[in-house]
Amino acid sequence: MNNTKALDFIKKNTMIIVLVIVLGFFSWRTGGAILLPMNVSNLISQNAYVFILATGMLLCILTGGNIDLSVGSVVCFVGAIGATLMVNLDVPVWLTIIIMVLIGTAIGAFQGFWIAFVRIPPFITTLAGMLAFRGLSNVVLNGLTVSIKDETTFVNLFGGGADCYVHDVLGGNGINLTCLVCGILAAALFVILQFVTRVNRKKHGYDTEPLWTFVIKMVVIVGVVILFAYKLAQHKGIPTVLIWVLVVVLVYGYITQNTTVGRHFYAVGGNEKATKLSGINTNKVYFLAYTNMGFLAALAAMVTIARLTSAQPTYGQNYEMDAIGSCFIGGASAYGGIGTVPGVIVGAVLMGVINLGMSLMGVDANMQKVVKGAVLLAAVIFDVVSKRGGKMIVKN
């Protein structure tokens, strides 16, 4: 029985275990360089767009393994419009932000309409969007680069400037105490909420994981959060882009796990016909998934052009692949109906650690793509095989 529980624990936390192993490997191979405060901060800044896009991609995948291939091009297009408005047309920053959000959401709604109500396959619809919006990005920018370095308010707000960190209001000497205190408070709040949830589940007769696995998980998570906060505190503190990522993760984590709308995404992916017969408007669920994807693509566009302080026709390439890969590596099912926001974030962090680790080791860029492809394939194989009870079935 104990062996069974141990195996279940390992199965449920496979990607977390893999992340720890991979991080340990790169820490060994880079002489600890990957854990330097600056690199930990860079890991967040360089992969912020992945966290944001992967969260939205999860909702699309939950509806039945569907994906959005257009997000990279939409990021580029929305970013191109934003840079053009601010730099060439002198549109105020706050108005530009609103316009970018509206355009991204409108693009998502446009594609969602064809997918949800006309039932054009998502692959075809978003493939068309990927081509169209990449071309439109070139049209808007005339094939040129538009620099937004002078737009300091926008750049700092979305995490691309020298002042894009939360200032230390506690006056730490050599270490950002505000960042460290926030990390400790976040860890404490997480533990309290988890204990409350566990007590409520027991009170209502729901199954709960064994106490020993619960305690181990809490200790590990608290340790990681505090260590992460300490590393950031040793650099410059909390990057403003991390706040955007946390808002997205917390909001969508709550929506998917604690709201009726969130349960509808899982229901559609589990069995669309049964969901429709139960009175749920499945067309609306598809429409919401892709409209939301457009909204988050707009946010990712702001983060991208702020970090790079410019807009170029080549931005956003392979962003969709990073988002999709993070979802599947993080435990989302290729068939839909299964996946969580925390799992997706673990997948995104794993991809980011692999990228950063191989870059520090000087691995060729082409080989980095090979490794990421192998990791993605392994994650999907694990998902498929585990659903068959661990049996590899080869059909003739």
Side-chain angles (χ1 to χ4, degrees):
M1 187 67 175
N2 290 332
N3 290 336
T4 302
K5 290 181 178 179
L7 289 174
D8 288 341
F9 175 77
I10 293 173
K11 184 177 178 181
K12 290 179 181 178
N13 299 278
T14 300
M15 284 304 124
I16 296 177
I17 296 171
V18 170
L19 175 59
V20 172
I21 293 172
V22 170
L23 188 59
F25 170 78
F26 282 120
S27 179
W28 167 58
R29 292 293 296 169
T30 62
I34 196 171
L35 295 177
L36 291 175
M38 183 178 67
N39 285 330
V40 173
S41 183
N42 288 338
L43 180 66
I44 300 299
S45 301
Q46 293 172 5
N47 293 279
Y49 75 89
V50 183
F51 299 135
I52 295 169
L53 292 177
T55 302
M57 191 68 70
L58 173 65
L59 300 187
C60 298
I61 291 174
L62 286 177
T63 60
N66 301 307
I67 57 176
D68 187 340
L69 293 174
S70 70
V71 291
S73 297
V74 174
V75 166
C76 184
F77 177 63
V78 174
I81 290 177
T84 301
L85 290 174
M86 286 187 289
V87 177
N88 296 342
L89 301 179
D90 293 323
V91 176
V93 169
W94 295 106
L95 181 57
T96 298
I97 292 172
I98 293 172
I99 293 173
M100 292 174 75
V101 170
L102 291 176
I103 290 175
T105 306
I107 291 172
F110 173 77
Q111 296 188 137
F113 169 79
W114 297 109
I115 294 168
F117 300 106
V118 186
R119 290 294 170 152
I120 305 298
F123 183 89
I124 301 300
T125 303
T126 59
L127 176 62
M130 179 179 72
L131 299 173
F133 293 112
R134 179 64 61 182
L136 287 173
S137 300
N138 276 278
V139 172
V140 171
L141 295 172
N142 291 318
L144 304 174
T145 299
V146 176
S147 175
I148 61 169
K149 290 182 180 179
D150 295 333
E151 306 297 331
T152 54
T153 300
F154 180 89
V155 171
N156 289 332
L157 179 63
F158 291 100
D163 296 326
C164 60
Y165 294 86
V166 176
H167 296 294
D168 187 6
V169 297
L170 300 179
N173 185 17
I175 188 169
N176 193 306
L177 287 180
T178 300
C179 176
L180 189 57
V181 170
C182 286
I184 294 172
L185 291 176
L189 180 61
F190 175 79
V191 171
I192 292 171
L193 291 176
Q194 289 299 307
F195 268 106
V196 170
T197 301
R198 180 180 176 84
V199 170
N200 287 334
R201 288 183 65 86
K202 277 199 168 186
K203 186 185 296 184
H204 292 89
Y206 294 118
D207 290 333
T208 56
E209 62 183 316
L211 182 60
W212 69 272
T213 61
F214 178 79
V215 172
I216 291 175
K217 185 186 296 186
M218 291 301 100
V219 170
V220 171
I221 292 175
V222 167
V224 169
V225 170
I226 294 177
L227 177 61
F228 176 69
Y230 178 69
K231 289 292 183 179
L232 290 180
Q234 287 181 304
H235 185 51
K236 294 181 180 179
I238 304 172
T240 53
V241 71
L242 178 58
I243 297 175
W244 289 107
V245 171
L246 287 176
V247 169
V248 170
V249 170
L250 293 175
V251 169
Y252 284 88
Y254 179 82
I255 289 173
T256 53
Q257 297 299 315
N258 299 284
T259 67
T260 302
V261 173
R263 295 188 187 96
H264 288 174
F265 289 105
Y266 289 95
V268 170
N271 191 322
E272 184 180 351
K273 290 183 178 179
T275 302
K276 194 168 187 177
L277 290 173
S278 68
I280 296 173
N281 188 337
T282 56
N283 291 346
K284 183 179 178 181
V285 174
Y286 282 109
F287 182 75
L288 285 175
Y290 284 91
T291 301
N292 174 74
M293 189 72 256
F295 167 74
L296 290 180
L299 178 58
M302 298 177 203
V303 168
T304 298
I305 65 173
R307 183 175 69 87
L308 301 172
T309 63
S310 64
Q312 290 185 14
T314 57
Y315 285 175
Q317 289 184 344
N318 294 325
Y319 278 20
E320 60 279 351
M321 300 306 169
D322 290 333
I324 294 167
S326 297
C327 288
F328 289 136
I329 291 172
S333 172
Y335 304 110
I338 297 174
T340 64
V341 172
V344 166
I345 298 306
V346 170
V349 172
L350 178 58
M351 294 285 279
V353 168
I354 291 173
N355 287 335
L356 180 59
M358 289 192 294
S359 296
L360 292 173
M361 288 174 59
V363 177
D364 181 72
N366 293 318
M367 284 306 300
Q368 291 186 30
K369 294 178 181 178
V370 173
V371 172
K372 289 199 295 184
V375 171
L376 175 58
L377 179 60
V380 176
I381 290 174
F382 175 81
D383 171 56
V384 173
V385 173
S386 64
K387 286 179 174 55
R388 294 173 178 167
K391 297 178 181 180
M392 179 75 77
I393 300 175
V394 181
K395 296 182 179 180
N396 294 324

